[in-house]
Amino acid sequence: MKILVVGSGGREHAIVEALAQSPEVRKIYAAPGNGGIREQAELISIEPNNIEAVADFATAERIDLTFIGPEMPLSKGIVDAFRQRGLVIIGPTADQARLESSKIFAKQFFKKNGIPTAESSECSTPAEAYAILERSKYPIVIKADGLAAGKGVVIAENPADARLTVQQFMQSKALGEAGSRLVIEEFLEGEEASFHVFADGPHFQPMVAAQDHKRRFDGDRGPNTGGMGAYSVDTILSRQQQHAVLQRIIEPTLAAAKSYSGILYAGLMLTSAGPKLLEYNVRFGDPETQVILSRLKTELLDVLIDIAEHRLPSRKLEWRQDAAATVVLVTSGYPGKVETGKQIFGLEEAKRVEGVKIYHAGTRFGDGKIYTTGGRVLNVTARGSTLAEALDRAYFAAQMIEFEGKDYRKDIGNKGLAKQR
Ligand code: AMP
Ligand code: GLY
């Protein structure tokens, strides 16, 4: 089979690596890929949002199956375009992708289907927003309706900060059109968890749970980022919580979102009143994928083919009963502006640490060397028989890698370790 994976992050590297394990896979292409993905795939310099160019490539190369990493091409209708051409692709249609691409659409969907979530109001003018802020309790959460690459959610501690956020989103257009409508919602307390399922609505197969670390600095301080690390172990959700998530969140969603196919990722808050849904993503999380796929024993390709052929329930997915952790190595200015083009050293040594895989994100290959190209550079991922062992291995390998400005969080997985004590 010839496979095309669209995207260029650590998530896509983990997906390519998992697909490369299947003997049926003859060739993998990645558009555009990165400096690590090139070891297993041929890199194609096509931009993921250039849907026509991606579809032309898949047609010309007779690609058997295409998998999309990021949300933007899904929300722009890449699945619709491929299906029109009779090409096999895994993912939701643009219409279904509104579960991620419009927070207003998503909240209306949750309410209509009785899915537990934060209380919220919507607004499309600054006057409406200011009126809601007048009668709210603080802290409060303000969310831009559209896709904003992780910058569209602000937790305001007081009315002054909340008004400033509304002013920036709606009047100064800090996020462009994404901020022209808002969701203003109740602040929920608890621990967060990422829960993914493989879906071919109404059927689905749950994946093991993971926890992301969104804030830039240790102790969950500093600005939100794309994700600074993640871990996966079976103690993230209790049996009761897992049952509630499946019954009250996933099942009603996939019953209502007719024929939703691909990956559905629920961002959960584990509150004292049970799990509540913060948001859906219509794709794999990054860096959660790196730890989730580390624990998947079943071949990923088989599951994707099951989805494409509408026989997802026919296979029992097998998961490793161990733990996995990933530490994201960033360039120090991230999530702000960073310097790029720095050579990376120590990758070969780090790769040899037992249980470790290095997934590349912002890297490129040139004249036999690997250079940085972005804020999130590498994901040092490890499996272990316990969470503590996985973390020890990942951190041991992380300190073997060097590049100018290298930085990383030192407390990945601490909440998980504390829960086990
Ligand atoms: P979202 O894009 O909706 O997942 O929001 C991004 C991050 O903001 C989440 O991962 C949470 O850390 C935080 N967040 C979003 N909504 C809420 C809420 N209602 N209560 C508390 N934190 C929230
Ligand atoms: N790790 C969070 C996300 O992928 O949205």
Side-chain angles (χ1 to χ4, degrees):
M1 285 182 81
K2 283 162 96 178
I3 312 268
L4 170 62
V5 174
V6 173
S8 62
R11 165 182 56 202
E12 287 76 14
H13 193 179
I15 291 165
V16 166
E17 160 94 21
L19 291 172
Q21 305 310 314
S22 294
E24 306 92 299
V25 172
R26 197 159 52 80
K27 172 124 194 172
I28 306 179
Y29 295 94
N34 62 38
I37 293 176
R38 62 172 276 289
E39 289 182 15
Q40 282 135 338
E42 183 176 333
L43 306 190
I44 308 298
S45 68
I46 298 177
E47 211 267 311
N49 295 328
N50 189 345
I51 289 174
E52 285 307 307
V54 180
D56 285 346
F57 175 81
T59 307
E61 287 299 323
R62 299 170 188 271
I63 299 294
D64 297 297
L65 185 144
T66 299
F67 188 86
I68 309 297
E71 63 277 16
M72 194 64 100
L74 294 167
S75 75
K76 287 180 181 290
I78 197 164
V79 169
D80 312 67
F82 268 60
R83 289 200 184 136
Q84 268 165 25
R85 296 190 190 205
L87 295 164
V88 177
I89 186 166
I90 305 295
T93 62
D95 197 43
Q96 294 162 339
R98 286 184 300 162
L99 280 176
E100 175 167 0
S101 65
S102 167
K103 299 235 185 255
I104 292 182
F105 173 84
K107 289 299 286 198
Q108 287 172 348
F109 180 95
F110 304 166
K111 286 179 199 168
K112 201 167 102 194
N113 294 292
I115 293 167
T117 186
E119 290 299 324
S120 66
S121 314
E122 298 144 18
C123 47
S124 44
T125 65
E128 281 172 340
Y130 294 126
I132 295 167
L133 297 182
E134 287 286 311
R135 51 169 205 265
S136 294
K137 279 200 262 161
Y138 289 81
I140 195 149
V141 186
I142 303 178
K143 300 185 173 185
D145 176 51
L147 290 178
K151 299 192 182 78
V153 176
V154 170
I155 296 169
E157 298 292 337
N158 54 58
D161 287 352
R163 281 196 295 271
L164 185 64
T165 300
V166 169
Q167 200 271 330
Q168 284 167 343
F169 282 6
M170 291 187 119
Q171 287 162 299
S172 307
K173 299 249 171 256
L175 306 170
E177 274 315 298
S180 61
R181 298 197 298 159
L182 305 178
V183 170
I184 299 182
E185 74 178 29
E186 168 199 17
F187 176 79
L188 296 176
E189 261 173 284
E191 226 176 90
E192 282 182 63
S194 302
F195 192 84
H196 293 63
V197 300
F198 293 105
D200 182 27
H203 304 293
F204 66 90
Q205 294 257 21
M207 301 190 211
V208 289
Q211 193 172 64
D212 188 13
H213 297 64
K214 288 206 168 80
R215 299 292 197 99
R216 174 63 176 78
F217 300 113
D218 286 9
D220 293 333
R221 286 175 299 112
N224 260 334
T225 70
M228 293 294 296
Y231 67 94
S232 174
V233 65
D234 283 343
T235 45
I236 291 176
L237 295 182
S238 67
R239 267 180 193 283
Q240 200 186 6
Q241 285 169 324
Q242 162 125 1
H243 185 74
V245 172
L246 294 178
Q247 221 177 29
R248 304 193 55 198
I249 299 178
I250 304 293
E251 282 174 18
T253 298
L254 291 174
K258 293 197 176 48
S259 71
Y260 180 102
S261 103
I263 308 299
L264 184 67
Y265 153 15
L268 304 171
M269 188 67 91
L270 307 176
T271 75
S272 53
K276 293 196 179 179
L277 182 60
L278 291 179
E279 63 160 359
Y280 271 130
N281 295 304
V282 298
R283 49 158 177 93
F284 266 124
D286 186 348
E288 289 96 324
T289 305
Q290 291 82 314
V291 289
I292 292 172
L293 293 184
S294 295
R295 297 186 59 203
L296 178 62
K297 248 200 254 175
T298 308
E299 281 179 13
L300 177 63
L301 179 69
D302 289 341
V303 188
L304 299 186
I305 293 174
D306 289 345
I307 294 174
E309 297 183 349
H310 305 296
R311 50 179 165 81
L312 183 59
S314 64
R315 189 187 307 271
K316 180 160 171 30
L317 296 198
E318 292 197 63
W319 297 93
R320 297 189 174 90
Q321 295 304 308
D322 58 4
T326 190
V327 176
V328 178
L329 306 189
V330 302
T331 303
S332 56
Y334 175 74
K337 254 200 159 54
V338 296
E339 278 185 42
T340 60
K342 308 295 180 193
Q343 193 181 339
I344 303 173
F345 302 94
L347 284 168
E348 289 309 315
E349 294 78 356
K351 260 191 215 169
R352 286 199 287 271
V353 177
E354 194 180 352
V356 165
K357 290 248 154 94
I358 314 281
Y359 296 120
H360 290 226
T363 74
R364 78 176 170 82
F365 176 84
D367 44 293
K369 300 177 184 128
I370 300 282
Y371 298 91
T372 66
T373 62
R376 287 201 292 179
V377 178
L378 296 163
N379 306 156
V380 185
T381 305
R383 281 176 48 207
S385 55
T386 60
L387 176 58
E389 186 177 57
L391 287 164
D392 280 349
R393 288 172 170 176
Y395 275 117
F396 184 68
Q399 48 87 28
M400 299 172 93
I401 298 172
E402 290 305 333
F403 56 87
E404 202 182 309
K406 176 187 113 178
D407 196 11
Y408 54 99
R409 272 181 67 163
K410 311 294 188 301
D411 64 343
I412 302 304
N414 281 4
K415 284 185 200 150
L417 292 175
K419 232 179 182 170
Q420 294 177 346
R421 283 196 195 107

